[in-house]
Amino acid sequence: MICNFPRTYDFIIVGGGATGLGVAIDAASRGYTTLLLEQSDFAKGTSSRSTKLIHGGVRYLQQGNVPLVLEALRERGLLLQNAPHLVRSQAFIVPNYDWWEVPFYAVGLKLYDMLAGKLGLGRSHLLSRDETLKQIPTLEPKGLKGGVLYYDGQFDDSRLAVNLAQTAVDYGATVLNYMKVISLKKTSGVVSGVTAMDMETGEKHEINGRVVVNATGVFAEDVIRMDNPQSSRIIAPSQGVHLVLDKKFLPGRTALMVPRTDDGRVLFAVPWLDKVVVGTTDTAIPEPSLEPRAYDEEIDFILKHAKRYLTKDPERSDVLSVFVGIRPLIKARDVKNTAKLSRESVLLTSKSGLVTITGGKWTTYRKMAQDTVNKAAVIGGLDERPCTTEHMKIHGWLSHVDESDPLHFYGSDMIDLKRLINDKPDLGQKLHKELPYVKGEVVWAVRKEMARTVEDVLSRRTRSLLLNASASMDSAPEIARIMAAEMGFDRKWQEIQVSQYIKLAQGYLPDRGTGDLHACKGHQ
Ligand SMILES: Cc1cc2nc3c(=O)[nH]c(=O)nc-3n(C[C@H](O)[C@H](O)[C@H](O)COP(=O)(O)OP(=O)(O)OC[C@H]3O[C@@H](n4cnc5c(N)ncnc54)[C@H](O)[C@@H]3O)c2cc1C
């Protein structure tokens, strides 16, 4: 059966990652009627699988891409002001093992400070060998000369995505998860809407829109082909792997940044939610998928570098979770190594009026959204209205954030969440002794954050899957029970949910890598 949505939207946005959600906020807050459709859950794609940094990109500075760094540093500063409950300043140390590195990185990072201007997070400075080891006691001391300390931002990506969805709704947008766009509608050769399928019921919906924005990240080509089946390939997908380790490998609050790995990448080891995230890789892959898996070689590569820089050598058995994100890098002629492809965003308009925005960074989602709405409004024949997101407070914004409160990342929603938990003491119980979450957060996720599956709760409303894949599997039956009671589902639903979740979470255990990297080397 095909149902018709009763109204014509000014904007229909396809894709509920950072980019699509940013476009939805921007369009709705300019007063355009806005609908966002996400085939799975918000941030199911790359937007829940980042390195969790809100950064200017020291690496892009090394590459001489000053405009990109300048824009990202500005957005970093704005985001820290607009979402202080989820974005915070993070100190990093670049350790120096050669004398020449000390002035080289000190000058580079001073330039980084200068580019940030008034929106800087703190001044970079040189550290002696002793000071460096005091900040990172587990740093390899052999041959260490000193370090350079600098500041960047750090955040919780999928929590920010959920708050962006809520912000869009606060401004009047309709945002739907589990609604997949399966084709585009055209009138006289011009894109005039979409056909979408409700992934829970199988129902199809025809929806009219004045302009359709394709914000499907690494899947952008699929939607472009719905518009023009003959279009050539523009995206070179490349995956990046992260390992999550216990905090003992990097105690304290300072992160480690290695500017040059064996394959010329930057490697980070960053404290995150009381664990350590280490990554990443840059491996060309043949096809994007919603659940990419790490190759064994990628896990080994990260462990090898972590061992080189840390005194406590992490082994495979120490890895609590492995998560993988895919970059939609834009193809360039004669560039074989994906690490050399541009990280900038691209904004394209097809002859039939489909607007595509892909690439870029989480850090710059707001500016990408602004540029997209400016362009899409013209394509859709809408009256032009100014962007208002620069100083817009994101849902949950708080003037003072107390990081010692385990619920602080809910921001202003924390008051209502605590009321819910206090009203029913059972909801204050922990879900698992190895995880920092309580049962009330599951109820909250269903009632207030559009969580529909056990995976939505364990992967993106809480970060259980990333913090400890094995513990998250143990807690799946209890999550399913709480969700079923909230949503009116039966025991069968719970069983299916749990078994689907266990299957998925097994892919986050380090010994379940897909094995053979050589099979896809030809695509590099
Ligand atoms: C390994 C890695 C580390 C990174 N680390 C950082 C970092 O530390 N800091 C930073 O700033 N940036 C980082 N980035 C970049 C950042 O994560 C991405 O730029 C950003 O998440 C992309 O968001 P997106 O919305 O464009 O894509 P996605 O998050 O992939 O969202 C696209 C969405 O479209 C949906 N979709 C696809 N097809 C359809 C359809 N037909 N109908 C409906 N929905 C559809 C998908 O389900 C998906 O949810 C990193 C990227 C990678 C790969």
Side-chain angles (χ1 to χ4, degrees), residues 156 158-159 272-275 405-410 417 421 426-443 445 449 456-468 471-472 475 478-479 482 501:
D156 185 333
S158 70
R159 289 287 330 161
W272 186 66
L273 305 181
D274 225 27
K275 301 277 186 268
D405 189 321
L407 298 176
H408 74 270
F409 50 84
Y410 288 95
L417 172 57
I421 292 170
D426 174 49
L427 295 182
Q429 282 175 13
K430 275 190 102 177
L431 283 166
H432 192 284
K433 67 177 178 6
E434 301 290 340
L435 296 169
Y437 305 109
V438 296
K439 291 182 184 177
E441 293 178 78
V442 183
V443 175
E449 297 179 344
D456 296 348
V457 171
L458 282 169
S459 180
R460 291 170 294 277
R461 303 307 181 282
T462 74
R463 309 315 304 269
S464 309
L465 176 62
L466 270 53
L467 297 180
N468 189 327
S472 79
S475 56
E478 182 59 9
I479 307 271
I482 299 170
Y501 182 74

Side-chain angles (χ1 to χ4, degrees), residues 13-21 37-55 60 153 155 157 179-183 214-220 222-223 226 238-242 265 268 280-281 290 323-328 343 357-365 368:
I13 298 144
V14 193
T19 309
L21 291 165
L37 304 169
E38 163 56 50
Q39 66 176 346
S40 174
D41 185 26
F42 306 117
K44 165 74 181 182
T46 305
S47 295
S48 59
R49 302 153 186 277
S50 76
T51 314
K52 324 298 181 206
L53 301 179
I54 294 298
H55 60 159
Y60 314 124
F155 77 130
D157 49 13
M179 188 71 96
K180 178 176 180 153
V181 168
I182 51 173
S183 62
N214 169 16
T216 54
V218 83
F219 303 100
D222 296 347
V223 179
M226 290 177 197
S238 152
Q239 73 176 28
V241 170
H242 305 87
R265 282 198 59 75
F268 291 102
T280 178
T281 55
L290 270 180
F323 66 94
V324 187
I326 310 180
R327 305 172 187 87
R343 265 63 185 161
I357 172 79
T358 188
K361 287 147 63 84
W362 237 118
T363 309
T364 52
Y365 84 92
M368 286 162 64

Side-chain angles (χ1 to χ4, degrees), residues 341-354:
L341 288 178
S342 169
R343 265 63 185 161
E344 277 168 87
S345 59
V346 283
L347 181 53
L348 307 167
T349 309
S350 75
K351 279 189 189 138
S352 44
L354 175 71

Side-chain angles (χ1 to χ4, degrees), residues 264-512:
R265 282 198 59 75
V266 170
L267 188 91
F268 291 102
V270 191
W272 186 66
L273 305 181
D274 225 27
K275 301 277 186 268
V276 183
V277 174
V278 193
T280 178
T281 55
D282 200 328
T283 309
I285 52 168
E287 290 294 332
S289 87
L290 270 180
E291 274 301 334
R293 292 289 171 259
Y295 295 102
D296 277 336
E297 286 91 334
E298 292 180 290
I299 297 176
D300 292 341
F301 175 88
I302 296 174
L303 286 174
K304 184 176 100 181
H305 279 82
K307 282 177 186 169
R308 196 178 288 171
Y309 289 94
L310 298 175
T311 47
K312 264 189 185 309
D313 287 353
E315 303 295 340
R316 259 175 189 259
S317 55
D318 294 309
V319 177
L320 298 167
S321 186
V322 183
F323 66 94
V324 187
I326 310 180
R327 305 172 187 87
L329 301 179
I330 306 306
K331 281 190 171 176
R333 267 170 220 234
D334 307 328
V335 177
K336 296 239 163 11
N337 182 352
T338 50
K340 295 209 171 111
L341 288 178
S342 169
R343 265 63 185 161
E344 277 168 87
S345 59
V346 283
L347 181 53
L348 307 167
T349 309
S350 75
K351 279 189 189 138
S352 44
L354 175 71
V355 176
T356 296
I357 172 79
T358 188
K361 287 147 63 84
W362 237 118
T363 309
T364 52
Y365 84 92
R366 190 208 63 82
K367 182 64 170 56
M368 286 162 64
Q370 179 178 350
D371 296 344
T372 306
V373 174
N374 285 346
K375 185 162 206 175
V378 175
I379 302 292
L382 301 163
D383 53 332
E384 289 178 47
R385 300 173 192 175
C387 170
T388 60
T389 57
E390 204 170 290
H391 300 289
M392 181 188 286
K393 291 174 178 145
I394 291 178
H395 186 102
W397 181 91
L398 263 187
S399 58
H400 173 72
V401 181
D402 173 8
E403 282 191 19
S404 66
D405 189 321
L407 298 176
H408 74 270
F409 50 84
Y410 288 95
S412 55
D413 280 346
M414 197 169 48
I415 301 164
D416 286 341
L417 172 57
K418 283 186 176 169
R419 199 170 292 142
L420 175 83
I421 292 170
N422 289 339
D423 284 351
K424 236 178 153 200
D426 174 49
L427 295 182
Q429 282 175 13
K430 275 190 102 177
L431 283 166
H432 192 284
K433 67 177 178 6
E434 301 290 340
L435 296 169
Y437 305 109
V438 296
K439 291 182 184 177
E441 293 178 78
V442 183
V443 175
W444 183 265
V446 172
R447 288 189 195 168
K448 303 285 184 181
E449 297 179 344
M450 293 177 76
R452 302 292 305 167
T453 69
V454 165
E455 184 208 332
D456 296 348
V457 171
L458 282 169
S459 180
R460 291 170 294 277
R461 303 307 181 282
T462 74
R463 309 315 304 269
S464 309
L465 176 62
L466 270 53
L467 297 180
N468 189 327
S470 178
S472 79
M473 286 192 245
D474 295 344
S475 56
E478 182 59 9
I479 307 271
R481 192 194 62 73
I482 299 170
M483 291 185 80
E486 275 296 310
M487 298 160 84
F489 290 133
D490 58 12
R491 190 166 275 282
K492 185 86 198 138
W493 181 87
Q494 295 179 46
E495 282 166 15
I496 294 170
Q497 281 289 311
V498 172
S499 82
Q500 283 177 347
Y501 182 74
I502 303 280
K503 198 165 162 221
L504 174 130
Q506 277 169 343
Y508 289 68
L509 297 173
D511 45 0
R512 303 291 176 108

